[in-house]
Amino acid sequence: MSKLLLLDCDSTLSALEGIDELGRLRGPATFKAVEDMTNAAMNGGTPMEAIFAKRLDIIQPTKAELESIGALYISTVEPTAVATLTQLRAAGWTIIIVSGGFTQAIRPLADFLGIARVEAVVLKFKPDGSYAGFDETCPTCRSKGKNVVARRLRAEHQATTVIMVGDGASDLEVKGDADKVIGFGRYAVRAKVKAGADAFIVSLDELPGVVS
């Protein structure tokens, strides 16, 4: 039996929204279009399916660009994350990143934070590194995808407690499949998440006090 702490990545473990940063590489107009779509989904007005492929099709990110986002995640890591995760591990929590972001970009941050498992979306690339789509079987590219992952992880780990932490509507949706949803507002305070979460924090070092 175990205790699972599921953490969002973008605007939670890091200040960045990785997809927006990829959009920024394509210039101001593309950045704005991508950012608007991201916000519409994160605030809970637009289903993830409606924008997931669309944003990537606009950007056409390369393998090298995805790797550069990985380095940016580390340089913008939430300032209390390392110490807090160390403390939570010592208290018996298994920590897993559950994100609608991209596995190849998140993996370097996960390694930096000592997190073995990442449940995110795998992008595909051609041999020359150009974009070739994404793995549509990854649950988190769809609405309620984090719920699917939370249920699967609970069963796999025979977890007595599952807690989801994140800033967006997709994290809030996990209510019912997690024992507690903790909203996070250091980088983005979303009214729907703040109102609906079981607890709301603005720094990860508040987590030990609210997960127990």
Side-chain angles (χ1 to χ4, degrees):
M1 305 300 268
S2 63
K3 303 185 292 184
L4 291 185
L5 186 63
L6 312 181
L7 290 166
D8 181 36
C9 177
D10 300 63
S11 296
T12 300
L13 285 173
S14 156
L16 296 186
E17 285 289 336
I19 185 74
D20 293 353
E21 295 308 309
L22 287 167
R24 197 190 297 276
L25 297 173
R26 299 289 177 266
T30 301
F31 172 66
K32 177 81 168 65
V34 169
E35 186 184 43
D36 287 349
M37 283 189 267
T38 301
N39 278 325
M42 288 294 105
N43 290 324
T46 302
M48 191 54 76
E49 295 89 330
I51 63 156
F52 201 91
K54 198 170 179 181
R55 294 180 303 182
L56 287 165
D57 287 342
I58 292 169
I59 297 166
Q60 297 283 314
T62 67
K63 190 175 181 188
E65 285 168 346
L66 209 62
E67 286 163 4
S68 75
I69 299 299
L72 276 177
Y73 275 139
I74 293 171
S75 66
T76 59
V77 67
E78 200 274 352
T80 67
V82 173
T84 300
L85 298 190
T86 300
Q87 184 182 345
L88 289 165
R89 273 190 206 98
W93 290 90
T94 297
I95 298 163
I96 298 172
I97 293 175
V98 179
S99 170
F102 312 124
T103 304
Q104 295 100 316
I106 294 170
R107 188 67 258 168
L109 176 65
D111 292 343
F112 175 80
L113 292 170
I115 297 172
R117 180 119 171 227
V118 174
E119 292 281 343
V121 181
V122 177
L123 296 193
K124 298 176 183 176
F125 298 99
K126 295 171 190 163
D128 66 357
S130 61
Y131 179 63
F134 63 95
D135 182 349
E136 295 181 23
T137 66
C138 298
T140 59
C141 68
R142 300 183 294 278
S143 297
K144 299 268 188 179
K146 290 185 179 182
N147 298 62
V148 173
V149 174
R151 290 194 296 269
R152 190 174 71 209
L153 290 173
R154 184 192 289 274
E156 184 184 316
H157 289 263
Q158 297 186 303
T160 48
T161 307
V162 177
I163 292 181
M164 182 78 220
V165 183
D167 69 295
S170 63
D171 305 301
L172 185 61
E173 278 180 344
V174 183
K175 272 186 106 162
D177 288 308
D179 298 290
K180 193 184 275 189
V181 171
I182 299 171
F184 188 70
R186 180 187 285 274
Y187 304 111
V189 177
R190 306 186 194 280
K192 185 176 178 180
V193 176
K194 190 171 185 179
D198 298 299
F200 193 82
I201 61 174
V202 294
S203 179
L204 289 178
D205 61 9
E206 296 176 63
L207 264 181
V210 293
V211 298
S212 51

